[in-house]
Amino acid sequence: MSILVSIEDLLSGNVVEGTRMEFKKGWNPKPIMRSVCAFANDFENEGSGYIIVGVDEVDGKPIRPVFGFPPNDLEAVEKKLIGLCNLMQPHYMPRTSLEAIDGKHVLVIWITAGSNRPYKVPDDVLAKHKTYNYRIRFNSNSIVPNPEQEAELLQLTAKIPFDDRVNTQASVNDMSSSLMREHLEKTKSRLLEESNKMTVEELAEKMNLSQGANEHLFPKNVGLLMFSNHPEKYFKGVQIDVVEFPNGVAGKEFTEKIFQGAIQKQLVDALSYIKTNVIKEKVIKHPDKEASDRVFNYPFNAIEEALSNAVYHRNYELQDPIEVRILPDAIEIISYNGADPSLKQEDFDKGIVRARRYRNRRIGEFLKELRLTEGRGTGIPTIVKALKDNGSGSPTFDTNEPQRTHFLIEIPIHPEFDDQENDQVTDQVTDQVTDQANKLTKEQIEVLNFTLKPQKRKEILEECLGLSNQTKNFSTHIEPLVVLNLIELTIPDKPTSQNQKYVTTNIGKSVLASIKNRDKNDEVTN
């Protein structure tokens, strides 16, 4: 059976991370079975592992051209593999594929994450007296877990990620053969040609999208999410909402575009819409040099990575859609129910983020195969670098601690575009700004400065003003700013939401600028 990606892409390391691959120059059952066990345990929910026999390596990188695996040995090795896998506790059987590359053949052993973990395997499968141990992956090695790791592995027994669980409320025939074949075509898998005469049930089994006996065969959630035309029938709220607020979230005007269908199609269509309707380019000429600079209001690759990560990491058990809010000075991408507990806000603030365990291992695999998301732990650095290269400001990552009900990425507009917008706003409201600036209390000015970044009511009253979180204090110091459109709600359609925050509007920023200029003039006069 063929693997789901081309062997060339697999060896390149661009689709599957090096930690999920192991190269063997020849068939060596002792280390191979230890690695089969480790990949099947999938300790960090990374997804499938691959052992490629017939490829030598240096420092984890394959040597090309490959050494090769004798095709005539395939049948004998597969028979031996069946016997060796019977030694695993509980029984586990990987999938094998003979792939052609560099004018030779290699044997690919595809180890999908096991549904009956944890697994044990003999340290030496060929020894007469066998000693069994659990195995897990640590970096690029298959090791015996220490006591703490073993305890954690045992706790994972019943914790199969949601996307890899069987859905007994649906049928395998609810998946689309054409969508599955479309994926195989994009990943250049040899399975595409083999699937010509396959039924939906047969193809789903080959792609590891179903589970059970023939008479009780059910689809996995990932199959319904990615390879059914209407996943919303099985998972409410599975969509991407792109909402544009030309006057901010407190404004009455907004346009909304909803993307449904298979989640990878939602992602591609939403990105295409944003690229066509939102992304703008500006050429900046300099009097002292010939070359001009080209900048974008938002670098597309930052938006692409942020939205892809939202699709990858969201909780599909919840009914909240992914939200993309296009504001006058930023784009916000919100996914529910937030970042993994192992990721701390301080890690995002430092720009050093590495997930301990992934929520949707199969969705991540498929998105990487389609090159719609980066490899392990590279998403945040990709966003930061894209903004820096474009000359934009730094992104904001909000984990919504301690509730962790959502995760928000805010991508600021490039200053060249922000200044233009601010100039237009300032021209329209100069008199209003001056008048409001003169009427604000000292406390209200402090609030305006404090909410330049989104803040909760409790944080504004207690941390900024040193007051108790009471209705009277809210009515005196916060509510008037909302009425004057100097601050706005981050979730305007749900005023009483526990995740509600307040943020300074463009007019509010203009008021602060007016106050700053007024204070400077007063200092000069005095």
Side-chain angles (χ1 to χ4, degrees), residues 23 56-63:
F23 303 106
D56 206 353
E57 56 90 14
V58 174
D59 297 329
K61 301 294 182 182
I63 297 176

Side-chain angles (χ1 to χ4, degrees), residues 48-159:
S48 300
Y50 299 85
I51 301 172
I52 303 100
V53 182
V55 180
D56 206 353
E57 56 90 14
V58 174
D59 297 329
K61 301 294 182 182
I63 297 176
R64 304 287 297 271
V66 300
F67 181 78
F69 175 87
N72 293 336
D73 291 353
L74 177 62
E75 185 176 351
V77 167
E78 286 184 327
K79 286 182 179 179
K80 291 177 182 177
L81 188 60
I82 292 173
L84 294 171
C85 287
N86 284 331
L87 296 174
M88 287 183 60
Q89 299 175 351
H91 170 75
Y92 175 89
M93 190 67 201
R95 304 168 183 227
T96 58
S97 176
L98 191 66
E99 301 284 336
I101 189 169
D102 296 344
K104 299 179 181 180
H105 289 86
V106 295
L107 173 64
V108 179
I109 304 174
W110 177 26
I111 307 101
T112 59
S115 57
N116 295 313
R117 64 182 178 187
Y119 297 92
K120 280 184 176 182
V121 72
D123 293 340
D124 183 350
V125 291
L126 301 181
K128 185 175 181 179
H129 300 288
K130 297 176 174 59
T131 301
Y132 278 79
N133 271 300
Y134 296 112
R135 292 278 171 170
I136 62 172
R137 294 293 286 181
F138 181 77
N139 294 328
S140 297
N141 300 303
S142 298
I143 66 168
V144 176
N146 61 35
E148 292 79 11
Q149 291 169 327
E150 182 173 322
E152 189 174 354
L153 177 62
L154 293 172
Q155 291 172 3
L156 292 174
T157 302
K159 294 182 179 179

Side-chain angles (χ1 to χ4, degrees), residues 247-252 327 329 432-433 436 440-441 443-461 464-465 473-492 500-512 515:
N247 300 314
V249 291
K252 295 181 179 180
L327 308 173
D329 57 355
Q432 177 186 358
V433 165
Q436 290 179 348
L440 294 182
T441 65
E443 289 78 11
Q444 289 170 338
I445 294 172
E446 290 179 2
V447 171
L448 277 183
N449 276 301
F450 190 68
T451 55
L452 286 172
K453 286 190 175 182
Q455 306 288 348
K456 288 192 172 184
R457 162 179 161 163
K458 187 174 189 290
E459 295 168 339
I460 296 171
L461 291 174
C464 175
L465 300 179
N473 291 330
F474 172 80
S475 301
T476 302
H477 303 294
I478 299 178
E479 192 171 37
L481 298 176
V482 176
V483 173
L484 292 171
N485 196 27
L486 300 184
I487 63 174
E488 61 190 5
L489 284 68
T490 57
I491 313 176
Q500 189 65 259
K501 292 185 179 183
Y502 299 84
V503 64
T504 305
T505 64
N506 280 337
I507 295 177
K509 293 175 183 177
S510 298
V511 168
L512 286 176
I515 293 171

